[in-house]
Amino acid sequence: MIADLMISGPEELFSRIPFAQFLNLRMEMAGNELTTILPFAPHLIGNPLLPALHGGTIGAFLELTATAQLSVFETFEQIPKPVNVSVQYLRSGKPIDTYARARINRVGRTIANVEAWAWQELREQPIATLQAHFLIC
């Protein structure tokens, strides 16, 4: 079971989650800022008429970004488990690379609150945002 694995950082986290590998997620660290990258691939299209990225792909990308952010700044014995996740879709995701960042709002004894946002061309124009609580014990 994934939740029972010890993790040492976001790189190891992404290597142990098959869906992160399927999405071909990458990450870049600049100082203390983690940016995750979802490279475009044709299999990520949900609506071929527009074309637009599948909403589930965007939601999973944001959730994995939030999980990676937690693993960068906190040390856990297990991968944090999402308790509740709320995704707000603001624009259609174009068939281009997508970027995301997350911010940890609060880490308690058992729950962490994280928000994340994804953008494509301009960081000031997110295509989706996420609010999530994670079980961290």
Side-chain angles (χ1 to χ4, degrees):
M1 178 181 233
I2 286 180
D4 296 328
L5 301 173
M6 293 274 297
I7 56 171
S8 62
E11 294 87 4
E12 184 179 353
L13 172 74
F14 282 179
S15 72
R16 293 188 182 214
I17 299 176
F19 197 62
Q21 293 175 352
F22 173 75
L23 295 176
N24 195 27
L25 294 185
R26 298 188 331 251
M27 61 184 71
E28 294 177 356
M29 286 292 294
N32 65 350
E33 289 189 328
L34 171 70
T35 302
T36 55
I37 303 159
L38 173 65
F40 172 71
H43 68 275
L44 302 178
I45 294 292
N47 184 343
L49 298 177
L50 292 178
L53 294 177
H54 192 283
T57 298
I58 295 169
F61 175 50
L62 285 169
E63 183 180 319
L64 289 166
T65 298
T67 304
Q69 185 73 21
L70 277 170
S71 70
V72 166
F73 291 102
E74 301 292 330
T75 304
F76 303 110
E77 293 183 14
Q78 306 176 32
I79 294 174
K81 298 177 189 177
V83 175
N84 71 332
V85 175
S86 176
V87 179
Q88 299 79 38
Y89 297 97
L90 307 173
R91 296 178 174 75
S92 292
K94 298 175 187 174
I96 59 176
D97 291 356
T98 306
Y99 307 89
R101 285 198 176 154
R103 176 175 39 242
I104 301 169
N105 292 326
R106 177 157 166 41
V107 177
R109 286 182 288 126
T110 58
I111 299 290
N113 177 278
V114 183
E115 62 183 303
W117 56 97
W119 73 93
Q120 292 184 313
E121 296 170 318
L122 296 172
R123 189 168 152 188
E124 298 78 29
Q125 295 178 348
I127 62 169
T129 62
L130 168 136
Q131 284 286 331
H133 292 95
F134 289 89
L135 183 64
I136 56 173
C137 62

